[in-house]
Amino acid sequence: MTQCCFLRVHPLSFWFWSFHRRMALALCLQVLCSLGGWLSLYISFCRLNKHRSYEWSCRLVTFTHGVLSIGLSAYIGFIDGPWPFTHPGSPNTPLQVHVLCLTLGYFIFDLGCIWRFAWRKSIKKYHAWRSRRSEERQLRHNGHLKMH
């Protein structure tokens, strides 16, 4: 009898875990498609604006994302619903999940742009900050400025 009870529970738990794995896989696939969409938009902007820098095209993609996300968020909040002030914490609608995946794909794209275009600037800023800190350390002695 315990074996029969085990067999009835096992397919249910298997279905539960496989459902969540399939859902996670579908969400990852949506995020990867979103990332591919942002990359293809970036490449098309680079080809259309050959006289501009690559960073210019990245900023155009950022602008496009801003306009698109504001428009979709306004549509979800004001038209499609649920209204966030009367139904806080309600389950996400499929449109909300799609917008979330679209935004997460853009976030990954933006991290790549930061790594590509702002890495050297960040290193320079860090180096300048560290050199100022070391100069301040050399000027201080027991909490007071050294006399030169």
Side-chain angles (χ1 to χ4, degrees):
M1 186 170 274
T2 58
Q3 187 179 16
C4 181
C5 189
F6 175 74
L7 288 177
R8 276 190 279 147
V9 173
H10 178 68
L12 181 64
S13 66
F14 177 74
W15 177 84
F16 178 76
W17 288 110
S18 66
F19 175 73
H20 284 291
R21 286 184 186 146
R22 282 183 284 149
M23 230 170 123
L25 184 63
L27 289 176
C28 289
L29 187 62
Q30 283 183 1
V31 170
L32 287 175
C33 287
S34 169
L35 176 62
W38 293 115
L39 283 172
S40 64
L41 184 65
Y42 170 71
I43 291 169
S44 64
F45 280 150
C46 287
R47 288 184 180 164
L48 287 174
N49 300 313
K50 291 181 181 178
H51 61 284
R52 302 277 188 181
S53 68
Y54 292 127
E55 189 175 0
W56 176 265
S57 298
C58 186
R59 290 175 189 237
L60 280 177
V61 172
T62 301
F63 176 75
T64 306
H65 171 260
V67 169
L68 188 65
S69 64
I70 287 172
L72 286 172
S73 297
Y75 175 77
I76 289 170
F78 295 121
I79 298 170
D80 191 45
W83 182 248
F85 298 116
T86 57
H87 297 88
S90 60
N92 291 331
T93 63
L95 181 60
Q96 289 173 335
V97 173
H98 291 312
V99 171
L100 176 69
C101 291
L102 183 77
T103 304
L104 187 56
Y106 170 76
F107 177 73
I108 296 169
F109 169 80
D110 195 40
L111 280 177
C113 284
I114 289 171
W115 183 77
R116 170 71 172 92
F117 298 116
W119 180 256
R120 292 183 206 113
K121 294 175 189 175
S122 299
I123 294 295
K124 288 178 186 177
K125 287 178 187 177
Y126 176 74
H127 178 70
W129 177 77
R130 288 296 299 162
S131 64
R132 276 187 259 131
R133 291 283 300 156
S134 64
E135 288 172 3
E136 288 176 5
R137 248 188 242 139
Q138 291 172 359
L139 290 176
R140 292 179 186 220
H141 182 69
N142 291 335
H144 301 289
L145 292 176
K146 282 185 181 179
M147 300 302 261
H148 287 339

